[in-house]
Amino acid sequence: MKAFNTMLKTEIKLSLRGMDMVIFAICMPIAATVILGIIYGNKPAFEGAEYTFLAQSFGALSTIAIAAGGVMGLPLLVSDYRHKKILKRFKVTPVSPALILAVHVVIYMLYSVVSLVLVYITAALFFGFNMVGGLQTWIYFLGSYFLIMLSMFSIGIMVGGIAKNQKTAGIIASVLYFPMLIFSGATLPYEVMPMSLQRVADVMPLTHGIKLLKATSLGLPIDGVLFPIILIVSIAVVCIIISIRFFKWE
Amino acid sequence: METIINVENLCKSYGDIRAVQNVNISVCRGEVFGLLGANGAGKSTTIECILGTRKHDSGNVSVLGLNPHIEKNRKALFEKVGVQFQEANYQDKITVWELCEVTSSLYKTPASYQALLKQFSIEDKMKSPVNELSGGQKQRLFIVLALLPNPEVVFLDELTTGLDPRARRDVWKCLSELKSKGLTILLTSHFMDEVEILCNKIIILKKGNIIFQGTVNEAIENSPHEKFEDAYLWYTDESEVAENESI
């Protein structure tokens, strides 16, 4: 535990010094919230809707940090630490190199949660957003949120763990991250996309995660959520199995 | 005397290349053992097989009586073994103090890094980023890290490569002190003056084979030369001369 805590403290400091995650996981979601808030204000999501456009987008905005940490941050970090032989160094200590990976999973989790809180505060304070339905809604929402985190992070660990080098990891991360950021509805709302683009979006796992968050945060009927849950859990399971089987420590 | 590192008939190939063949090493407590040879002779492979970070094809390895290739031994073993690798393995932007603190936290009863940094005269660099240290300072820091577990044995891979003469002598001084305190050291080096000063026993590797095993003095006596460096070159060149002659 001592090792975990010390490492967590130090790696958080190093991560903050790097600034990347502060920009992509903290500043960007807030900026996107402000932009959507300014454009759509308190307008209803569609004519006759009981919820606002921003309320509809809240779930999506809260996943920007998960995507940044999971499919960009983690693959780059894992391949970088392997390249620098930091993972290998841990092999000649009493502590497993898996511990430093666990530390980073926790750090990216913290970024996501901080981002969720800040997005909520921004939306609530400046654009009058609140989560309808109280505690139960929050429990469902957070349950979905952590499920999405699990599957995105397992994609990241898998990519970082099996990519041949940093360059490959960087390319795969970009290929996963940027389309996901723009076309899964995380920044550009799914609802404003033309049908053809929505079909493309439906290929991305995050799109289904966001659908799940929308359903839970807006208190929509439960029958639409089974497919996203199965899909997200399957992705997590597959990626975790591949990671355990093929992860390269050096 | 108690055997700290024992290697019997170690063999390791990479595809068709035989990196290490039938290497036997025995290092007793308090000895400084030098593993010599040109680049590619198999020194690093040997060390990695001894540490268990690389799987050997055949042979037996034990360190402090434990087999490092058995996963459940590793936790206990590496409480007592310090390792300095050839490459610098540390995070970007990390400071000396942070690296020492994290490394300390991995061990149950670590040595005081403040005291070690002082002993190696880099205590004034505590707050500096590691990558801003000079070559000599970095190398001394990595020795400090290897000593943090309060080890019974340390592995030092090319510890003074890239250092200026003054920095090398500083490192030797530190190691001589550790040697006098009874620490067991296995090191690799390309500098024969250093080996002469520090090592009780040496082996010279060539293309994965041991071509000499014994003390520095024995190495000189068994060669036609009077200086150890000349003797070393004679050992490592000998067969090449023969090969060239046969052509």
Side-chain angles (χ1 to χ4, degrees), chain B:
Chain B
M1 228 197 301
E2 187 189 356
T3 307
I4 299 292
I5 303 169
N6 192 46
V7 178
E8 289 166 8
N9 304 320
L10 182 76
C11 294
K12 171 75 186 172
S13 302
Y14 301 112
D16 292 339
I17 302 157
R18 291 183 179 174
V20 175
Q21 290 181 71
N22 284 319
V23 165
N24 291 286
I25 294 174
S26 168
V27 185
C28 295
R29 187 176 289 279
E31 276 183 339
V32 178
F33 188 91
L35 196 53
L36 313 183
N39 289 327
K43 301 188 300 289
S44 292
T45 301
T46 305
I47 287 196
E48 290 208 32
C49 289
I50 297 174
L51 291 172
T53 51
R54 209 171 276 280
K55 285 225 159 19
H56 49 280
D57 302 331
S58 62
N60 293 316
V61 176
S62 85
V63 180
L64 297 165
L66 294 167
N67 180 350
H69 291 270
I70 295 173
E71 199 54 42
K72 69 175 171 48
N73 287 344
R74 303 183 61 81
K75 207 173 158 61
L77 181 62
F78 286 107
E79 287 284 353
K80 295 181 253 174
V81 175
V83 182
Q84 173 244 334
F85 273 119
Q86 225 170 311
E87 303 94 335
N89 341 92
Y90 53 86
Q91 294 90 321
D92 262 347
K93 301 191 179 75
I94 198 163
T95 64
V96 169
W97 169 70
E98 286 163 346
L99 188 55
C100 287
E101 202 190 23
V102 168
T103 310
S104 292
S105 77
L106 308 177
Y107 302 98
K108 276 195 204 117
T109 49
S112 150
Y113 59 82
Q114 289 90 342
L116 282 169
L117 291 173
K118 200 163 176 209
Q119 190 189 334
F120 285 77
S121 326
I122 38 172
E123 78 273 23
D124 54 325
K125 294 290 169 191
M126 285 259 259
K127 297 221 165 80
S128 311
V130 176
N131 56 14
E132 284 177 16
L133 299 184
S134 70
Q137 290 165 339
K138 260 187 210 167
Q139 210 64 319
R140 276 178 281 159
L141 172 63
F142 296 141
I143 297 173
V144 166
L145 294 178
L147 294 175
L148 267 181
N150 254 330
E152 292 180 28
V153 51
V154 289
F155 292 77
L156 305 170
D157 200 358
E158 291 194 16
L159 79 157
T160 63
T161 299
L163 299 192
D164 63 51
R166 163 80 52 214
R168 287 178 61 216
R169 270 164 206 259
D170 289 344
V171 170
W172 296 354
K173 209 177 117 224
C174 297
L175 289 180
S176 297
E177 277 166 30
L178 294 168
K179 184 182 170 185
S180 66
K181 285 180 193 159
L183 183 70
T184 310
I185 303 173
L186 188 148
L187 58 84
T188 74
S189 175
H190 288 303
F191 299 104
M192 295 310 132
D193 46 356
E194 165 172 312
V195 171
E196 260 185 297
I197 288 176
L198 294 171
C199 296
N200 306 97
K201 270 202 274 181
I202 56 165
I203 62 172
I204 302 175
L205 285 175
K206 185 175 178 180
K207 293 180 181 162
N209 291 296
I210 296 182
I211 50 172
F212 175 81
Q213 186 153 20
T215 64
V216 168
N217 283 336
E218 285 165 0
I220 297 170
E221 281 162 21
N222 292 330
S223 77
H225 298 281
E226 278 166 17
K227 278 191 185 155
F228 178 52
E229 186 161 271
D230 295 332
Y232 167 78
L233 292 172
W234 178 77
Y235 282 108
T236 49
D237 277 347
E238 195 180 33
S239 57
E240 245 145 64
V241 175
E243 274 164 29
N244 290 343
E245 277 167 359
S246 69
I247 296 166

